[in-house]
Amino acid sequence: MKHINAIILAAGKGSRMNSTKPKVLQTLSNKTLLGHVLMQAQALCSQVFVVVGFGGNQVRQSFKDDSINWVEQAEQLGTGHAVQQAMPYIDDDSISLVLYGDVPLIEQSTLEKLTTQAQKNGVALLSVMLENPTGYGRIIRQNNQIQAIIEQKDANIEQLKICEVNTGIMAVDSGLLKTYLSNVDSNNTQGEFYLTDIIAMAVGAGKTVASVIAENEFEVAGVNDKMQLAALEKTFQQNQASQFMQQGLTLRDSARFDCRGYLSFGQDCEIDVNVVIEGDVSLGNNTTIAPNCIIKNAKIGDNVAILPNSLIENAVIGDGASIGPFARIRPETKIGNNAKIGNFVEVKKSTIGKGSKISHLSYVGDTVMGAEVNIGAGVITCNYDGTNKHQTTIGDGAFIGSDSQLIAPLVIGKNALIGAGSTITKNAPDNALTLSRAKQTSLKKRKNHD
Ligand code: UD1
Ligand code: CA
């Protein structure tokens, strides 16, 4: 078996995107189009070459991966010319797999089939059957064998009726590819060096071109504008949702669920509508996510209830916890087992001990809270003095009365009780009632309004 090199064409501008970004940097499921192709290429190939042109620097800088070989195509003179730019770096005794930076949903199994055929036959071409083949290069067959590819603009009326089209994706023995490419010219309607011309050359040299026909149109669909981008995003999401459901995830409406990253889950998890998952998210067993939640980079335990309209980012949520509705869990937060974070509560960079409750309208930031603490409605940890952030520590079993402000740095002792409406500026001892507010007085006679 020869090793495989990927050559990914990504030099085009993609003017129909109407964007300052090169086309291959548009994103699908939060990953660039080129990123999707690279992922597939790297899974199969020993080396990956990316041919860049328009916005080449911008494309290069978007990928930190040192293993990518960048090749410059200064002028876009055609697909054959583009592939040729990579050939000097490729060893003859290998297979070259040609991919496209704007064809993001190609699947590993298809590429495996194609490269396996190329190992045997020297040349293997991926085609697809289209109801409307307009615009594509047509596959010319004789006795069922591929003979040539004729571009739309060079085709005659009979050829234009052919519905089997070239996807552009092919796998070719590198030594042969070099020979064929050196003979490609630009004598065609577009004055371009066509990669597709190598097919007729191979046939002319007595080769049988192996054929793989793509099963799914989406795998070979290119992205030229924002409508096609949105259509492929939908396909991607639907495919992914189907996989999740097959693995046992309950999705109330798979068309209203987006995972733009990685999701893992245990058994019997349920996700309601309009939930967006980003980054790396894991759910334990029996966890439910109610409508309209956005969850990014989070580890969520067993039996957790995420109630409607909650946002969670870079956080760990313990088993049996309840979050929301309308909760915001910000980065570096750890919510303990069976803790409850209620509505309109924001928690930032804090650890909340097991069984603690922050049920209503609170801000808790830079706080280490013990177990079984009760935070009354409207409590605020005042963690910022305008320059620095300060820490609040709250001991196990403490009870903070509603509408209190805890001015950090501050330690509230174990089982401390803070009277409602207090502004606490100094440490509060264990097991004691601390309060700071003026005694209530009532004037004997109400002042006259005049
Ligand atoms: C090409 C194929 C056509 C096929 C179609 C599938 C040729 C001659 N034709 O046509 O048979 O049906 O793809 O979509 O190959 N690119 C470069 N450098 C260049 C030219 C192109 O990097 O000099 C890149 C483009 O960025 C694009 C891809 O190659 O991603 C295809 O180029 P494009 O000009 O769009 O080819 P088509 O005319 O669509
Ligand atoms: Ca073209």
Side-chain angles (χ1 to χ4, degrees), residues 9 11-12 73 76-79 82 100 102 136-137 151 166-167 194 196:
L9 305 195
Q73 186 193 24
Q76 276 88 70
L77 303 178
T79 48
Y100 298 81
D102 58 356
Y136 293 89
E151 290 303 294
N166 175 31
T167 65
Y194 290 167
T196 47

Side-chain angles (χ1 to χ4, degrees), residues 340-367:
K340 181 183 176 209
I341 307 298
N343 43 210
F344 306 106
V345 171
E346 176 180 348
V347 184
K348 187 217 80 172
K349 204 175 184 177
S350 294
T351 302
I352 308 301
K354 60 176 196 281
S356 289
K357 293 188 173 74
I358 314 171
S359 298
H360 331 266
L361 299 155
S362 275
Y363 172 70
V364 172
D366 302 298
T367 296

Side-chain angles (χ1 to χ4, degrees), residues 69 90 427:
N69 300 288
I90 289 177
N427 292 350

Side-chain angles (χ1 to χ4, degrees), residues 16-71:
R16 279 177 282 165
M17 285 290 174
N18 279 315
S19 167
T20 54
K21 273 191 277 183
K23 176 161 73 172
V24 295
L25 294 186
Q26 301 290 332
T27 57
L28 191 152
S29 188
N30 281 3
K31 183 193 229 135
T32 60
L33 297 177
L34 180 55
H36 283 272
V37 183
L38 276 167
M39 194 178 68
Q40 297 299 341
Q42 284 168 330
L44 188 70
C45 303
S46 49
Q47 281 201 87
V48 176
F49 296 83
V50 183
V51 181
V52 289
F54 178 82
N57 280 336
Q58 213 180 325
V59 175
R60 250 180 269 224
Q61 279 157 16
S62 317
F63 294 88
K64 305 273 170 283
D65 189 342
D66 291 335
S67 73
I68 302 169
N69 300 288
W70 299 100
V71 179

Side-chain angles (χ1 to χ4, degrees), residues 25-26 143 194 258 268 321 354 386 406 443:
L25 294 186
Q26 301 290 332
N143 302 324
Y194 290 167
D258 292 85
D268 299 309
K354 60 176 196 281
L406 308 180
L443 295 177

Side-chain angles (χ1 to χ4, degrees), residues 295-332:
I295 302 177
K296 184 173 183 177
N297 296 322
K299 188 172 183 305
I300 297 173
D302 297 339
N303 303 305
V304 173
I306 312 285
L307 301 172
N309 300 294
S310 296
L311 310 180
I312 298 175
E313 184 177 357
N314 289 344
V316 178
I317 314 288
D319 297 345
S322 169
I323 309 292
F326 296 99
R328 181 166 181 216
I329 310 297
R330 291 174 54 199
E332 297 181 58

